[in-house]
Amino acid sequence: MNKKLNSRYEIKLVLYFRRYFTAIILSILCMLLVNVLSLAFPWAIKIVLDDVLPRYDLILLNKVIMGLLAILVLRALFGFVRKYLSNKVGEKIVCNLREEIYRKIYKLSIENIRRITPNQILSRITQDVENIRYFIITDAVEFIYAIVSLVLILFVLFWINIKLTLLAVITLPFFVLLYSRLMPHLSLALKRYREVNSQIFSRINEAIQGMPVIKTLNAEENEKSKFKGMQDNLLTMLNKSHWLNVSLWVIVDFFSSLGLILVLWVGAQEVMSGKMTFGELMAYYSYLGMFFVPVIRLTAVNNSFQESRASLLRINEIMAVEEQASSVINVLNVDKLLGQIEFKNVYFSYMESKPILRNISFEINPGEIVGIVGPSGAGKTSLINLFLRLYEPARGDIFIDRHNLRELDIRKYREHVAVVMQDDFLFDGTIEENIAFGLNNVSSSDVVTVAQVAQIHEFIDGLKGGYKTNIGERGLRLSCGQRQRIAIARALLRKPSVLILDEATSSLDAITENLVQKAVIDFMKGKNIIIVAHRFSTIMEADKIFVIKDGMLIEQGSHKELIARKSFYSELYFEQFKDEDLITRNII
Ligand SMILES: Nc1ncnc2c1ncn2[C@@H]1O[C@H](COP(=O)(O)OP(=O)(O)O)[C@@H](O)[C@H]1O
Ligand SMILES: [Mg+2]
């Protein structure tokens, strides 16, 4: 997780409370009314016992009952409004939160996104937001409800009998003391529990995605026992937190019951000595029962308060990650790209300690086809990443049509550049949706055209659903080669000025690769194509070939020139030539 925290972007729940101020105040008001109305019920008992029964006053009894019914209706009404409002506000806040996190992710540089795992982001958007929602619509409300009830009931208790009330609450300090001792342990246990829980969650997620690997490596038993270990760990923690939770519950119950016994003992004597009526004692007893309910609730609320506070902290860890500098002061809008590309003394590294690209300088002219070769891990993909400005060079500059890449409006710029990576990402959806991804108003004939260029039209046409066939999550219902060609079609549909193929045809057989390449070159006529490839047949025709080794550009020139030089390139070439199968040799 990135430690570059920046409070500028932090989410503060207070801001949401301000946004939904009216609704929140209204719902608190309703809650207050519900509370006050609830106080009427014990008092009705007092009236019945003290005034109705001794005097056989049927009229008063009917009045009391009518009153209670009216109160019941009102209470239901206010209760409904309160619940409705608090649910609505809670849901809205959750939607806002989710959107804010989701939007934030798009503002991060790829570098920072890589540091946050998909699981982390997912659990922020789902679990953590859910925690906050639960807190807002249930516990935050309960908390206010409990506080309001406590104050109101305490007031009534004192009003009825000061002596009894002092006696009833005498146990409270003990309770608070014990509670505050146990609570930190409980919070800690809960925190650990959540950590282990999320580890288990990521493990399951990974195991499902990596199932073919686990099965082929015969690692099932190993994985199962690892999982069991994690579960046992979780169980131990759960036991601890349950033990604490139960003790807390028992303590609250013990002290509140102790209060009730004391009150019964002293209260009965008060009635006998005539200082209190029988009805008052009964009402008092009911109020006292009502008093301890919110006390118990408060303990539960504290738990979920801690939990949602931790969730908010975790969300804010993501929110605080520095956003990618969107641009410098003068943003240049490029309406079209000629394709004059220059790298000037470019250095780059992912982590400061390990240089990846060193002093790279080259020029590409408009309309040129460029091949990039080099051993794997040499830095070819990194070079492409810099060109797309997914990462920034540590030193040196990249110029596009003589403008510094840093000064271009990045979104506009990317409109003119299309890239196909080795294992490009396809989304769950139809083939057509995937090819037209990110574009609006695409005609199906355009989709067919690019699919034909990418040599995938016949395959799609042969499917039962044709272009409407669903390809499953990540396109997993297709072969690698089919996915690659769909990704190529997707890139072509954007009619880019610069097309980059980074080992984009590596899963195709040599014949198909050759067909794709010819058609793509024809389609891109006059535009730049940059091809990173292992098979020499794919780059031999390029106008220029760059040879990258250990992060350096060690040779450049046409295939003929490079072969004539008899250096690293020709070494690589003849090495492969030796191994290539007959078909490829025929093509060469
Ligand atoms: N996201 C990354 N974080 C750290 N190191 C990386 C990252 N991506 C690639 N590398 C490292 O950079 C080097 C060059 O990788 P890459 O540009 O993908 O090589 P190529 O495409 O030539 O095979 C490799 O040593 C690789 O380990
Ligand atoms: Mg690569």
Side-chain angles (χ1 to χ4, degrees), residues 52-69:
V52 174
L53 294 184
R55 291 183 227 142
Y56 295 96
D57 190 344
L58 212 60
I59 297 172
L60 184 59
L61 179 65
N62 286 343
K63 271 190 198 160
V64 168
I65 296 301
M66 291 312 259
L68 283 183
L69 284 178

Side-chain angles (χ1 to χ4, degrees), residues 136-185:
I136 293 172
I137 72 167
T138 24
D139 289 339
V141 176
E142 291 255 309
F143 178 75
I144 302 172
Y145 192 85
I147 294 286
V148 170
S149 310
L150 273 183
V151 172
L152 276 176
I153 297 171
L154 203 62
F155 180 78
V156 174
L157 287 176
F158 271 114
W159 179 64
I160 298 178
N161 193 315
I162 295 176
K163 193 165 129 196
L164 273 187
T165 309
L166 286 177
L167 209 59
V169 298
I170 206 166
T171 55
L172 272 188
F174 291 108
F175 161 67
V176 171
L177 196 74
L178 269 169
Y179 177 71
S180 61
R181 281 279 167 89
L182 277 183
M183 204 55 219
H185 294 285

Side-chain angles (χ1 to χ4, degrees), residues 81-203:
V81 174
R82 157 180 106 61
K83 268 230 146 50
Y84 176 77
L85 283 178
S86 62
N87 279 1
K88 207 169 103 174
V89 169
E91 297 300 348
K92 273 197 178 158
I93 290 179
V94 165
C95 285
N96 293 162
L97 262 177
R98 259 192 211 133
E99 253 168 59
E100 225 168 301
I101 302 170
Y102 195 64
R103 250 188 266 138
K104 171 77 185 191
I105 296 165
Y106 282 95
K107 287 189 193 148
L108 298 179
S109 63
I110 295 289
E111 199 177 345
N112 280 335
I113 288 188
R114 288 264 156 83
R115 288 192 195 145
I116 312 169
T117 67
N119 266 338
Q120 278 177 330
I121 296 180
L122 209 65
S123 75
R124 297 304 167 272
I125 292 192
T126 55
Q127 192 55 49
D128 285 327
V129 169
E130 187 55 31
N131 281 347
I132 293 176
R133 183 188 78 96
Y134 187 78
F135 176 71
I136 293 172
I137 72 167
T138 24
D139 289 339
V141 176
E142 291 255 309
F143 178 75
I144 302 172
Y145 192 85
I147 294 286
V148 170
S149 310
L150 273 183
V151 172
L152 276 176
I153 297 171
L154 203 62
F155 180 78
V156 174
L157 287 176
F158 271 114
W159 179 64
I160 298 178
N161 193 315
I162 295 176
K163 193 165 129 196
L164 273 187
T165 309
L166 286 177
L167 209 59
V169 298
I170 206 166
T171 55
L172 272 188
F174 291 108
F175 161 67
V176 171
L177 196 74
L178 269 169
Y179 177 71
S180 61
R181 281 279 167 89
L182 277 183
M183 204 55 219
H185 294 285
L186 189 62
S187 302
L188 197 70
L190 268 175
K191 189 167 166 255
R192 294 234 179 88
Y193 164 75
R194 269 194 305 270
E195 279 164 11
V196 177
N197 212 10
S198 95
Q199 276 171 11
I200 291 184
F201 180 73
S202 348
R203 194 71 214 166

Side-chain angles (χ1 to χ4, degrees), residues 377 379-382 422 502-503 532:
K380 303 178 296 292
T381 300
S382 308
Q422 182 170 21
D502 186 356
E503 306 194 17
V532 180

Side-chain angles (χ1 to χ4, degrees), residues 295-416:
V295 173
I296 294 166
R297 267 190 198 157
L298 280 180
T299 57
V301 169
N302 188 37
N303 261 350
S304 94
F305 172 71
Q306 301 289 350
E307 201 155 317
S308 72
R309 201 176 60 162
S311 288
L312 191 63
L313 266 174
R314 280 195 296 266
I315 289 173
N316 274 335
E317 261 174 34
I318 288 186
M319 295 308 289
V321 174
E322 194 60 66
E323 290 175 8
Q324 186 173 30
S326 58
S327 44
V328 282
I329 313 117
N330 296 318
V331 186
L332 282 171
N333 264 340
V334 271
D335 287 326
K336 79 179 192 248
L337 215 68
L338 298 175
Q340 168 72 39
I341 302 160
E342 186 183 358
F343 273 53
K344 214 170 182 176
N345 310 109
V346 169
Y347 287 76
F348 173 68
S349 57
Y350 291 100
M351 281 160 289
E352 258 143 51
S353 53
K354 191 179 160 221
I356 300 292
L357 293 173
R358 284 175 285 172
N359 202 15
I360 303 269
S361 296
F362 61 75
E363 260 194 78
I364 299 173
N365 297 314
E368 272 183 341
I369 299 174
V370 174
I372 299 181
V373 284
S376 93
K380 303 178 296 292
T381 300
S382 308
L383 191 89
I384 303 297
N385 284 341
L386 289 184
F387 179 72
L388 291 165
R389 226 180 126 199
L390 291 174
Y391 294 87
E392 307 269 349
R395 264 196 285 159
D397 290 296
I398 300 167
F399 296 96
I400 307 295
D401 292 355
R402 308 279 177 217
H403 302 302
N404 196 318
L405 182 55
R406 291 179 218 267
E407 287 166 17
L408 298 183
D409 178 330
I410 191 66
R411 286 177 49 86
K412 276 270 189 229
Y413 166 66
R414 285 191 191 138
E415 271 176 22
H416 304 292

